[in-house]
Amino acid sequence: MHWLSNVRLPQARRCSHGAEQRWRIGLDDDNLIALVEPLPDGSRATGDDWGGDWLSPAGVDLQINGGLGLAFPELTATDLPQLEQLLELLWRDGVEAICPTLVTCGVAPLRQALTVLAEARARHRPGRCQLLGAHLEGPFLEPTRRGAHPAQHLAAPSLAALLERIDGFEDDIDLVTLAPELDGAEAVIAATAERGIVVSLGHSAASETQAEEAFARGVTMLTHAFNAMPGMHHRAPGPVAAAALRGDVAIGLIADGVHVTPTMAVLLQRLAPEQVVLVSDALAPYGLGEGQHRWDERLLIVQDGSCRLQDGTLAGVTLPLLEGVRRLAQWTGEPGRAIAAATVLPRRVLGDDRSLPQLLLGTPLVEALRWHAGAEGLVWQRAVAASI
């Protein structure tokens, strides 16, 4: 057994008294993580001293719309080679798995995209990010809160409209974003949840009361908190406050500093440290240069990692998921929480409730991440390396 010592594990829970727990990690002859043990206070156990660096699984992104010029709703079979290149890029960027996000589009393109994603999922191999079930962001959205979603493809919630889109693909979908206050949404929430699909509130005008009712009916997440939904007002707390107060609703956060200001991001994580889940919301230009890019029939302008339509509407980002971790850690001064928000908590949204030591057991060290907080802020690398 080879040992790594003086290791920290990222935790999202509220701060406890005393110093942060240190761990030692046992590796078997194949460099698989075989043991994860807490160290007694003051222990100087033998092994490679990590100096308090963090060990985590790789990232999981529940909201990413494309990359390398590909928009997931526009996928065709000819895009498979480029899609595989994107999955390799995501792996190099420290992301183990994604829920490919399909923004509001026509029924035929949606079903075609799901078919292509299923084929790519079947072709998975090491060195590529895994494709989890898709995230359908729409079409059951509040028109006044649609953001960059094309108005012509929005639909009123109904079982018929839902089945028209997902029939036969139920096992290929992990997440659906909708506006729960719309007429007909209650039946769609029930039918979606019955199929084991996570339902998220997003692009919604829901009040605090309407959000509470949605959570009681089975909605378990907010899509990009604060964006395309009412904010937190002292007389109208809105869905973000309702989710934080409830305590068991995941709160998706884009930590680019533009979608949500650093101050509000810090406040949100302090209010709900075990609920904040980082997402990238990356669009098709992810992995490409800045400037002008096409998004369906529209022009997308990329500057400083932010994507906007010609009218100035904020549409997404081109920043990697783990860049959001670095920024959130810088703003909050809580690296462990920021790491957990992109690596541990997304798994819980999808139903994996194992503790972090349990998650790590059996993982090849090369597939885990080592995080170091230094003069340049929080940085990561594949954990197989001997030192930062």
Side-chain angles (χ1 to χ4, degrees), residues 265-279:
V266 172
L267 177 61
L268 185 60
Q269 194 169 56
R270 288 182 181 175
L271 283 173
E274 296 183 64
Q275 296 168 254
V276 171
V277 174
L278 291 184
V279 298

Side-chain angles (χ1 to χ4, degrees), residues 56-315:
S56 81
V60 174
D61 196 347
L62 302 181
Q63 186 174 7
I64 174 171
N65 307 279
L68 292 182
L70 290 178
F72 291 140
E74 302 175 11
L75 288 174
T76 67
T78 59
D79 293 320
L80 274 169
Q82 192 173 351
L83 176 57
E84 290 171 343
Q85 291 177 17
L86 172 58
L87 297 176
E88 291 165 2
L89 170 63
L90 285 161
W91 179 260
R92 293 194 299 272
D93 281 346
V95 179
E96 175 183 322
I98 63 169
C99 286
T101 302
L102 305 176
V103 298
T104 302
C105 63
V107 175
L110 173 68
R111 294 181 66 84
Q112 176 176 268
L114 290 170
T115 300
V116 175
L117 289 169
E119 173 64 22
R121 193 176 299 115
R123 293 165 56 159
H124 176 72
R125 64 169 179 76
R128 288 181 188 158
C129 174
Q130 296 180 27
L131 285 168
L132 303 174
H135 174 179
L136 305 191
E137 190 182 356
F140 310 128
L141 310 179
E142 162 56 47
T144 64
R145 299 281 184 169
R146 65 182 175 85
H149 289 244
Q152 67 270 28
H153 295 307
L154 296 180
S158 71
L159 288 178
L162 175 68
L163 294 176
E164 183 183 19
R165 288 160 174 81
I166 74 168
D167 186 41
F169 290 104
E170 292 88 345
D171 293 340
D172 297 304
I173 300 168
D174 276 347
L175 184 60
V176 168
T177 291
L178 52 72
E181 76 279 8
L182 297 178
D183 290 341
E186 184 172 353
V188 171
I189 292 169
T192 306
E194 285 171 2
R195 288 162 171 78
I197 299 171
V198 175
V199 187
S200 184
L201 182 156
H203 292 275
S204 164
S207 66
E208 177 190 19
T209 299
Q210 289 171 321
E212 290 171 344
E213 292 171 349
F215 302 149
R217 292 197 301 265
V219 173
T220 58
M221 184 175 174
L222 297 185
T223 295
H224 47 50
F226 295 114
N227 291 278
M229 66 179 63
M232 292 175 63
H233 187 275
H234 60 288
R235 292 195 185 96
V240 179
L245 188 61
R246 183 177 169 103
D248 61 353
V249 175
I251 301 174
L253 175 67
I254 306 169
D256 61 344
V258 178
H259 282 78
V260 177
T261 67
T263 296
M264 289 303 291
V266 172
L267 177 61
L268 185 60
Q269 194 169 56
R270 288 182 181 175
L271 283 173
E274 296 183 64
Q275 296 168 254
V276 171
V277 174
L278 291 184
V279 298
S280 71
D281 199 27
L283 293 179
Y286 166 69
L288 304 178
E290 300 202 334
Q292 296 184 354
H293 298 271
R294 186 189 65 82
W295 189 28
D296 50 52
E297 296 82 27
R298 297 170 291 177
L299 185 67
L300 198 61
I301 300 170
V302 180
Q303 184 175 5
D304 297 328
S306 293
C307 303
R308 295 181 183 271
L309 301 179
Q310 282 182 290
D311 64 4
T313 299
L314 190 59

